[in-house]
Amino acid sequence: AQSVTQLGSHVSVSEGALVLLRCNYSSSVPPYLFWYVQYPNKGLQLLLKYTSAATLVKGINGFEAEFKKSETSFHLTKPSAHMSDAAEYFCAVSDKSNYQLIWGAGTKLIIKP
Amino acid sequence: SQTIHQWPATLVQPVGSPLSLECTVEGTSNPNLYWYRQAAGRGLQLLFYSVGIGQISSEVPQNLSASRPQDRQFILSSKKLLLSDSGFYLCAWSLTSGGAETQYFGPGTRLLVL
């Protein structure tokens, strides 16, 4: 069965610093991978997704993620954090057997001024 | 363009009362529909999904039920709410595309059961 692990329920960075949110997956077949963002009391919004094209995927709001098959990882990065990036971030993998998404537990990103 | 609506936005209900949350999608046909719950400090829990009218799959046994009376309408119900039903309920839709389906989420309903 597929699974997703997000390391760190909370990540705190200073404004202007690099953002790195970690996601590892387990899958017996090449997966489709997603990052979503959730602002407080809002629904989830797609940041980016990997569908077996380029391994470096660029998303909205300056975020990008790199698919590394050898490490079974899909970490999310942003070069310079803004206060507006404070939110919860979810990594997900597509379960091709029934086209559902398998979700990580989420990482809350805190931005320090 | 497609839009997804959920209502109400916020709901406070006593224990033992019934529940009906509604979700509608506009601008697409035959979507896959999903109900998720987020309990406080917890991740996303898939409750139900539907691939067509009248076709509902339940992921978690509980006192909740779902129905899809129309192609773009998805309803979450309960006959008697429990305290543990409190949480943030999210509806989502997707279109089948070989496993790379993006799910698009509604704004959510905050339910507090007292």
Side-chain angles (χ1 to χ4, degrees), chain A residues 32 34 36 38 40-46 49 51 88 90 94-96 98-101 103-106 108, chain B residues 32 34 36 38 42-44 46 49 59 88 90 94 96-108 110:
Chain A
Y32 296 126
F34 304 76
Y36 282 81
Q38 184 180 30
N41 295 309
K42 301 291 185 185
L44 278 72
Q45 179 183 9
L46 178 71
K49 69 177 181 182
T51 58
E88 190 157 19
F90 291 91
S94 176
D95 183 341
K96 293 181 181 179
N98 60 11
Y99 306 118
Q100 293 180 35
L101 291 179
W103 295 89
K108 196 159 288 188
Chain B
N32 304 316
Y34 309 82
Y36 289 91
Q38 281 183 300
R42 306 282 297 274
L44 286 162
L46 179 63
Y49 70 95
E59 292 295 303
F88 193 48
L90 290 160
S94 71
T96 299
S97 61
E101 291 85 10
T102 298
Q103 291 186 15
Y104 299 94
F105 285 79
R110 175 75 58 190

Side-chain angles (χ1 to χ4, degrees), chain B residues 4 15 33 45 47-48 51 65-66 75 79 86 93 97 104 108:
Chain B
I4 178 170
V15 170
L33 295 171
Q45 180 186 31
L47 301 175
F48 302 94
V51 298
S65 62
I75 297 172
K79 292 181 179 178
S86 292
W93 70 273
S97 61
Y104 299 94

